[in-house]
Every structure is written in structure tokens, then in C-alpha cells.
Amino acid sequence: MLFNLRTLLNNATLRHGHNFVVRNFRCGQPLKDKVQLKGRDLLTLKDFTGEEVKYMLWLSADLKFRIKQKGEYLPLLQGKSLGMIFEKRSTRTRLSTETGFALLGGHPCFLTTDDIHLGVNESLTDTARVLSSMTDAVLARVYKQSDLDILAKEASIPIVNGLSDLYHPVQILADYLTLQEHYSSLKGLTLSWIGDGNNILHSIMMSAAKFGMHLQVATPKGYEPDPSITKLAEQYAKENGTKLSLTNDPLEAACGGNVLITDTWISMGQEEEKKKRLQAFQGYQVTMKTAKVAAPDWTFLHCLPRKPEEVDDEVFYSPRSLVFPEAENRKWTIMAVMVSLLTDYSPQLQKPKF
């Protein structure tokens, strides 16, 4: 039986601190040909078509509705185990993955640098083969994207990027689910990035155009996104008829934007650059002055943790801020990733319109 999410959730509101978030999915017809992701790696959204990313968001909405709204128990991952390699600490990535995998009946196993040193005490090749013999998948939060590439090459199980120096794909899935819930559709939205040319921005650049979203980017000079990623993003924009602009002026990037997005200016491993970065990012704080030039229906995203210099309290805690629903959606999207890579489950809800 197909449940109509629009009928069930339209105009429903959920309270998140000071925020009221409208759940307003528009639903269409299911895919005629089921997207098959089982056995794949998720290293970057560059490797996935628009339909494949949409499928993961559809599955996220399905699991969220069936488990959170209907209270169903879905042991889709019963008997399966997940290796979680964390070279970098995390609140949302760890909690969302551990609780989500367990909620689906699986067993997550958390490994820190005290437990495993990638490529130090044991080669990446050997680690990949050992983990492949004991777990069904691995989520790795690492410093170097190249380590993920080697793990994926040598492992016989799916490898999921929980964050690297180049990409953070699981965060972007949560962002898109949050925007889908709020705006009903992603197509035609203008995303305004104001901040560092980092892994979050790279993941947006590898996927936004596939949904028909425009992207306006402002970074300080010397902190632009990776040139090779920019080149590919320009190709995606051309193929999908969307706009991509890069500037060093925050207000120019914010102009007409539906979604104002920023992130930390100082990532883990960049602490020695703090003084230099704080100086370079002067004028990049997102405030109501920034919002004044945005679209009338503007919203705000930040993947957290947040520092006041990145966005002031007036914006961060305003009703336009979707940061806490965004954080919660990390759980539903990582659950969908694991289900899609490890099972043959198909969503029961009708596919939302993207």
C-alpha cells in the first residue's frame, strides 16, 4: 500500500526549540524502474546521478514517516554490523549513525584513533580486508579523501564517507531533506553559500545542479573551492541549465538567495590558522543585514557546531533557521544510506516531487 505523505503531513508542524518547521511534501508517482544502490560505496555525490540521490532522499522520508510518525519497528538491518572509523570527533555523525543503525536492528561498532590507526600500525589494504571479513559496511570519518579511496578499492563491502578533507556527502543529504520538507520542492531554489571553500561546499557543488538548484558562492580570496571541483560544477550547471557564480562579496552571493548557508571557518586540523582565518573572514558573518538582500522566503542552514562569528544569534535562533531539523535529519538520511547500500528494501511512500 502506498501512503500519500502530502495528505498525512501537509501543514503539520514540529517544534524544535524556538522553531516551527512546516512539513510540506508534494508527492508524485513512484519510480518505474527501481534505483539499485545495493553494494555501492558512497564516497562523493559526484558518483551518483540525480535520480540516485533523489532515491536516497525518498527513502529517508519513508523511514522517517514509518518509524517516527507511525511508530513502526523496521529491523531492516537485523544481523548486520557497521564499522565506524573516526579519526575526527563528531557529535551528529556519531550519534546519527549509531542510533540510526541500531534502530534498524543492526550493530554499530565505534573505532577511534585509540583503536585503529589507518595506514600506521597496519596498511589500509590490510585494514580494508579485515573489516570486510567482520562487518557489512564501514563509515569512515577521516582527514584524507585518498584514504577512503584506498579503503573502497580494497574492501569487498560498502564504504561510506562520514567526512573527509574534500567531501561530506552525508551532511548534504540531510540538508536537502530539510529543504525538501520546508519548500516542498528543490528545483529552482537558489542556494547562497557564504564562507569557506570547504568539503561541505564541495559536496553541494557536486549535487545541487542535479536537482535544478542554482548556487551562489562567496569566499574570501585564497579560500575558494578546489579548482577541479569548480570546473566539474560548472559542467553540471551547464548540463542542467542552472546558474553557478563565485564571488568574494557575501552580499552579492546572498542576493535573491532562498537558502543562506555557512559553516565553520576553522575545521579540525586548522587550529593553527585560527588568527589568520578570523581576519580573512571579516565581513562574512551571516546577519539580518545579509538576509535583507535574500529572497522573501529565505531560510538558514548550518551543519554545526556553530560559532557566533559565523552567524549571529538573531539569525541562528530565528524561525527562519532550520539548523535543528537539519541536525535531526542526519539520522534519517544516514539510515537511508545504509538501507539502500545493504538491502533490497523499497520505499512505501509515494516519491516526493523534487
Side-chain angles (χ1 to χ4, degrees), residues 247-266:
T247 181
N248 301 121
D249 182 350
L251 291 181
E252 182 181 341
C255 187
N258 303 104
V259 189
L260 304 177
I261 315 171
T262 193
D263 185 24
T264 182
W265 296 345
I266 305 160

Side-chain angles (χ1 to χ4, degrees), residues 46-202:
K46 176 178 67 175
D47 299 333
F48 291 79
T49 67
E51 286 304 314
E52 289 171 336
V53 182
K54 291 173 185 178
Y55 182 82
M56 287 188 278
L57 295 182
W58 177 15
L59 182 50
S60 303
D62 175 85
L63 295 175
K64 186 175 185 178
F65 172 68
R66 294 191 66 186
I67 296 172
K68 182 177 181 178
Q69 302 294 334
K70 293 194 67 185
E72 292 185 48
Y73 176 54
L74 300 176
L76 300 174
L77 300 178
Q78 188 169 5
K80 297 189 182 298
S81 58
L82 174 70
M84 298 172 58
I85 300 173
F86 276 55
E87 290 186 330
K88 290 186 173 185
R89 67 184 182 274
S90 170
T91 300
R92 280 147 294 277
T93 302
R94 180 177 180 180
L95 272 176
S96 62
T97 306
E98 281 196 355
T99 59
F101 205 84
L103 186 58
L104 293 167
H107 178 77
C109 182
F110 182 71
L111 301 167
T112 70
T113 51
D114 292 329
D115 307 301
I116 186 170
H117 288 109
L118 291 179
V120 179
N121 295 330
E122 185 174 49
S123 71
L124 287 166
T125 295
D126 292 355
T127 296
R129 293 179 182 180
V130 169
L131 291 172
S132 295
S133 71
M134 297 184 182
T135 65
D136 296 282
V138 169
L139 178 138
R141 185 176 173 91
V142 300
Y143 284 98
K144 296 186 293 184
Q145 179 74 21
S146 57
D147 285 350
L148 287 170
D149 295 336
I150 295 173
L151 285 174
K153 178 182 177 182
E154 299 295 339
S156 58
I157 57 176
I159 304 296
V160 177
N161 181 354
L163 175 143
S164 73
D165 56 343
L166 277 185
Y167 299 111
H168 197 356
V170 294
Q171 175 63 54
I172 302 312
L173 293 176
D175 292 359
Y176 291 170
L177 179 62
T178 306
L179 296 178
Q180 168 71 28
E181 290 173 336
H182 184 84
Y183 288 105
S184 303
S185 176
L186 301 180
K187 186 175 182 179
L189 291 179
T190 295
L191 309 181
S192 297
W193 176 270
I194 301 168
D196 193 14
N198 63 11
N199 50 9
I200 300 287
L201 175 58
H202 289 163

Side-chain angles (χ1 to χ4, degrees), residues 5-48:
L5 185 57
R6 183 180 186 181
T7 301
L8 292 167
L9 297 184
N10 194 23
N11 297 325
T13 58
L14 296 174
R15 183 184 290 270
H16 294 269
H18 301 288
N19 301 296
F20 288 92
V21 181
V22 179
R23 305 302 187 193
N24 184 25
F25 280 87
R26 294 190 317 189
C27 296
Q29 295 301 313
L31 288 176
K32 294 180 180 179
D33 298 314
K34 182 180 181 298
V35 171
Q36 180 56 258
L37 301 178
K38 188 176 181 181
R40 297 265 302 270
D41 300 311
L42 175 53
L43 305 182
T44 166
L45 295 177
K46 176 178 67 175
D47 299 333
F48 291 79

Side-chain angles (χ1 to χ4, degrees), residues 227-266:
S228 63
I229 292 175
T230 298
K231 184 177 180 180
L232 187 54
E234 290 172 342
Q235 178 184 323
Y236 288 158
K238 184 176 180 180
E239 291 173 354
N240 292 278
T242 61
K243 298 176 183 177
L244 171 65
S245 64
L246 286 82
T247 181
N248 301 121
D249 182 350
L251 291 181
E252 182 181 341
C255 187
N258 303 104
V259 189
L260 304 177
I261 315 171
T262 193
D263 185 24
T264 182
W265 296 345
I266 305 160

